[in-house]
Amino acid sequence: MSTPSSAAAPEPFNDGEGGHITLGERVSLVGKLIFCLAITFSAWQIAMAAYSPLPSIVMRSMHVGFVLLLTFILTARTFRKTGLRAAWDWFLGLLGFALAFYHWIFEPDLIMRSGMPTETDIIVGCLMVALVFEAARRMMGWALPSICAVFLAYALFGQYLPSPLNHRGYDFDQVVDQLFLGTEGIFGIPTYVSASYIFLFIVFGAFLERAGIITLFTDVAIGSVGGSQGGPAKVAVVSSAMMGTVNGSGVANVVTTGQFTIPLMIRMGFKPAFAGAVEATASMGGQIMPPVMGAVAFIMAETLNVAYTEIIQAALIPALLYFGTAFWMVHLEAGRLGLKGVPKSELPSVRNALRKGWPLALPLLVLITLLFSGYTPLFAGTAGLAFTAILIAGRRLGQGIGPLVLRIAFWLVIGVLASLGHQTFGITAIFSLIAVMVVALMVIKGGRETLTAMAEAMAEGARNALPVAVACALVGVIIGTMTLTGAATNFTRVIVEVGADSLFLSLVMTMVACLVLGMGIPTIPNYIITSSLVGPALENLGVPLIVSHMFVFYFGIMADLTPPVALAAFAASPIARASGLRIGMNCLRIAVAGFVVPFMAVYTPALMLQDGGPLAQDIGYPAAVAYVVIKAILSIGLWGAAAIGYLTRPLSWLERLWATAAAMSLVAALPATDEIGFALAALFIGWQWFRQRSRA
């Protein structure tokens, strides 16, 4: 395990959501203060998750307060503001943090006068909402604040619009009450999820990355597929899929694994735009890859009031199809270009990588086991994070123990103490064990380097959580507006009316709405807006609720790959040294599963392991799952051949149109379209076999 000892922070990266916000150096007094504040934020959130000592509204308010404090002081530092400008940013951050105590101090009074805000309530509420808007603007640019401002204006002035767009009208204090004093606005469900599940899993991923799991994933990916046809690009797909199981982030994956995979792909013969597109496409899949999916998955579980494991279940097959498609596209492109893999002499040993790094997979196994054993994501995340901290500290402590037998005994003692302590004293025993290990690390040789790495993981987790937390707070404005005014009802009625004649057209309208919204805002607010507007409408049309929300989720992700504003593509652009627009166009070819699978799941919910739909009623649920998976694989295979223009040999335009027609026919679940699709596919494959034999 590598444990950097330098006090310098990592280089700033572009998260696609707000520039290059970084913790900065830790040499100066200000740098040390910011670093300590970030660690304090993480420690606070871990304590809240472990013990839940405060009312929910207070926990949410303090979460937003910490976020505002760090956002303003980090933007001042990152953009090197000095003098009055820096002082102003520090003032705004401290003001936001101070106002966060309002709910904590006056909670009983706020409950007693619920619905009747005082003048002080209104002033504090206006300030807090304004600070959230400004923090989001600094972190993510103008797009999301502008959209939220439109919704806010609708709440204030919507009564002046013509029917049916208007509402009955609401006083200013009613709007502020909705957005600040209750749990329907900036302290709504997204903020609750950010303050509990999401933050924990982000810190969990930061700890695993510090432990060296990126190196493990990269070595396993290169050693397993690097030597095959188009191996370097397949490495990008496999490593990004594995990274997705840990951090659930798309654009962050591009700038971590992409630093290695994109230059390797280019060196082995792939065009720069295609190499960047492979990494961008594979990285965005991290948000749909169980067990640690993107933040949207946790928000979805809380919104739908279902277990997180149900979201994992629904996402599993589509995620495998998504990465399988990217893998297939890479294979075909390499065949078209006649590219080979990495020379065998340069491949790392998978066996050696697993032998050295297999303990790093244990926290993931613990997490998965707890989730599927019925524990909440909150408990599973806390336990997984604690287990990772014990693993990191224990590996350093164990290095000083000579014989293998003693090292095994050391880990057995750690395991017994953790197990018995947790059964008797709960999570406090685990934290006490970690504290004892921390003290031990302070006195052994090399222990302080490990402590530094753990502290940096805490600070980086807090920093990485900021864009998500700010977005979750700000979209509360949209949720609060729609809850107050019932704005979603009109949009739902339009979708239902269209869907009465054509479900497909309703789905296309929903897809376009997601893609258009996603051009300027991240996946989280995109999902929240479109699911609030469209989710009930699709449910009224007979689409299972989880499937309708996953449909919206998928196209929110696809928006980051779709030109003209493709955040993941532009994140890959400086690494690949290719146009972001060209990378985005290649993403559309590679990510075809992201466009096809959601439509197939709507028509056949068994693809997302959901019971229901005519096919399951006709042939039974297990048979329906097997049938739709086979159909999806065949359809995606045909899409790949058509998009790349190659199968076992280059395809003519007529053959590509043939493959496209067969693939499109297999998307729907009608008996007639399936029969046509299978017939066209069989003829196409037979024709390719015949041509191949003729050439031989």
Side-chain angles (χ1 to χ4, degrees), residues 15-349:
D15 54 24
E17 298 171 339
H20 303 271
I21 309 301
T22 176
L23 288 173
E25 49 79 23
R26 299 202 313 271
V27 178
S28 66
L29 179 61
V30 173
K32 292 177 181 177
L33 175 61
I34 293 175
F35 186 72
C36 290
L37 286 174
I39 294 176
T40 303
F41 185 21
S42 289
W44 167 270
Q45 291 298 151
I46 293 170
M48 292 299 102
Y51 299 106
S52 300
L54 298 175
S56 180
I57 185 67
V58 175
M59 180 190 73
R60 303 180 199 194
S61 180
M62 292 303 299
H63 178 72
V64 174
F66 268 111
V67 168
L68 293 176
L69 174 62
L70 279 176
T71 297
F72 283 111
I73 64 178
L74 286 180
T75 52
R77 183 172 184 78
T78 300
F79 299 111
R80 298 178 182 177
K81 296 181 180 180
T82 57
L84 290 177
R85 294 180 63 192
W88 173 249
D89 285 351
W90 274 82
F91 169 75
L92 292 179
L94 291 170
L95 176 64
F97 185 68
L99 294 179
F101 286 87
Y102 194 75
H103 277 283
W104 195 346
I105 297 172
F106 300 107
E107 187 206 7
D109 296 335
L110 293 174
I111 293 174
M112 292 298 296
R113 62 173 184 263
S114 178
M116 297 180 291
T118 65
E119 184 177 348
T120 303
D121 295 339
I122 299 300
I123 293 173
V124 173
C126 289
L127 288 173
M128 199 68 168
V129 172
L131 288 171
V132 169
F133 266 94
E134 174 60 12
R137 183 195 68 80
R138 295 185 180 209
M139 189 62 65
M140 290 171 286
W142 281 100
L144 179 58
S146 298
I147 293 173
C148 292
V150 170
F151 277 86
L152 179 58
Y154 178 75
L156 293 171
F157 309 111
Q159 66 269 30
Y160 301 114
L161 293 174
S163 179
L165 300 176
N166 62 335
H167 55 69
R168 67 176 180 83
Y170 301 92
D171 293 335
F172 183 78
D173 59 347
Q174 287 180 279
V175 176
V176 176
D177 186 13
Q178 180 81 354
L179 298 185
F180 173 68
L181 293 178
T183 56
E184 297 288 347
I186 61 174
F187 304 130
I189 287 178
T191 295
Y192 166 72
V193 177
S194 172
S196 50
Y197 313 147
I198 296 174
F199 194 98
L200 271 182
F201 281 86
I202 289 176
V203 177
F204 174 69
F207 265 80
L208 278 178
E209 289 180 18
R210 282 284 166 176
I213 203 165
I214 295 179
T215 302
L216 173 63
F217 285 163
T218 303
D219 287 347
V220 170
I222 296 175
S224 58
V225 299
S228 62
Q229 176 178 300
K234 292 177 180 176
V235 168
V237 175
V238 174
S239 61
S240 293
M242 290 191 290
M243 279 298 299
T245 64
V246 175
N247 65 8
S249 175
V251 178
N253 275 357
V254 174
V255 297
T256 51
T257 58
Q259 296 287 351
F260 168 76
T261 57
I262 292 175
L264 180 61
M265 283 186 271
I266 296 173
R267 192 166 68 246
M268 297 304 294
F270 286 100
K271 294 181 179 179
F274 186 85
V278 169
E279 181 57 48
T281 303
S283 293
M284 290 308 298
Q287 297 187 63
I288 57 171
M289 189 65 183
V292 183
M293 301 166 61
V296 169
F298 296 100
I299 297 174
M300 189 188 303
E302 196 68 30
T303 302
L304 300 181
N305 195 26
V306 300
Y308 179 64
T309 50
E310 291 190 39
I311 306 298
I312 292 177
Q313 175 182 302
L316 180 60
I317 292 177
L320 295 176
L321 290 173
Y322 182 93
F323 284 104
T325 302
F327 199 90
W328 174 240
M329 294 290 190
V330 163
H331 181 79
L332 293 178
E333 179 71 6
R336 187 180 71 85
L337 298 175
L339 302 180
K340 304 299 180 183
V342 179
K344 191 173 182 178
S345 59
E346 299 179 15
L347 296 177
S349 170

Side-chain angles (χ1 to χ4, degrees), residues 386-456:
F387 187 88
T388 308
I390 291 174
L391 180 67
I392 294 174
R395 289 181 71 185
R396 175 63 73 180
L397 292 172
Q399 287 178 358
I401 302 174
L404 177 62
V405 175
L406 291 180
R407 288 202 298 272
I408 294 175
F410 168 77
W411 282 110
L412 287 175
V413 170
I414 293 294
V416 170
L417 288 175
S419 178
L420 294 179
H422 182 265
Q423 291 177 14
T424 307
F425 302 105
I427 195 66
T428 302
I430 305 296
F431 289 155
S432 299
L433 176 61
I434 294 173
V436 171
M437 298 176 77
V438 167
V439 172
L441 286 171
M442 295 178 69
V443 298
I444 70 166
K445 183 179 180 180
R448 292 184 180 272
E449 293 181 0
T450 300
L451 291 177
T452 299
M454 295 172 69
E456 288 174 344

Side-chain angles (χ1 to χ4, degrees), residues 519-682:
M519 288 182 184
I521 61 177
T523 308
I524 295 170
N526 188 350
Y527 161 76
I528 291 172
I529 296 169
T530 50
S531 64
S532 300
L533 293 173
V534 179
L538 294 182
E539 186 183 14
N540 291 337
L541 295 173
V543 180
L545 195 56
I546 286 183
V547 174
S548 66
H549 280 247
M550 290 295 290
F551 184 92
V552 169
F553 182 17
Y554 256 81
F555 284 110
I557 293 171
M558 290 300 100
D560 281 341
L561 299 173
T562 305
V565 183
L567 295 179
F570 279 93
S573 177
I575 305 174
R577 296 184 180 179
S579 163
L581 185 60
R582 291 183 62 194
I583 292 175
M585 295 304 296
N586 277 278
C587 286
L588 295 181
R589 297 164 60 203
I590 300 169
V592 65
F595 292 91
V596 173
V597 167
F599 281 91
M600 297 186 75
V602 168
Y603 289 106
T604 312
L607 187 60
M608 290 186 177
L609 299 179
Q610 303 297 304
D611 202 359
L615 184 63
Q617 295 174 3
D618 292 341
I619 65 176
Y621 174 68
V625 172
Y627 175 83
V628 72
V629 169
I630 292 172
K631 190 175 74 162
I633 292 172
L634 180 58
S635 175
I636 287 170
L638 292 167
W639 281 114
I644 300 299
Y646 183 89
L647 193 54
T648 56
R649 59 176 185 79
L651 301 180
S652 66
W653 277 104
L654 182 60
E655 290 173 316
R656 296 174 74 171
L657 291 174
W658 185 353
T660 301
M664 290 182 65
S665 300
L666 292 170
V667 172
L670 303 175
T673 57
D674 278 4
E675 291 170 4
I676 293 172
F678 279 119
L680 288 173

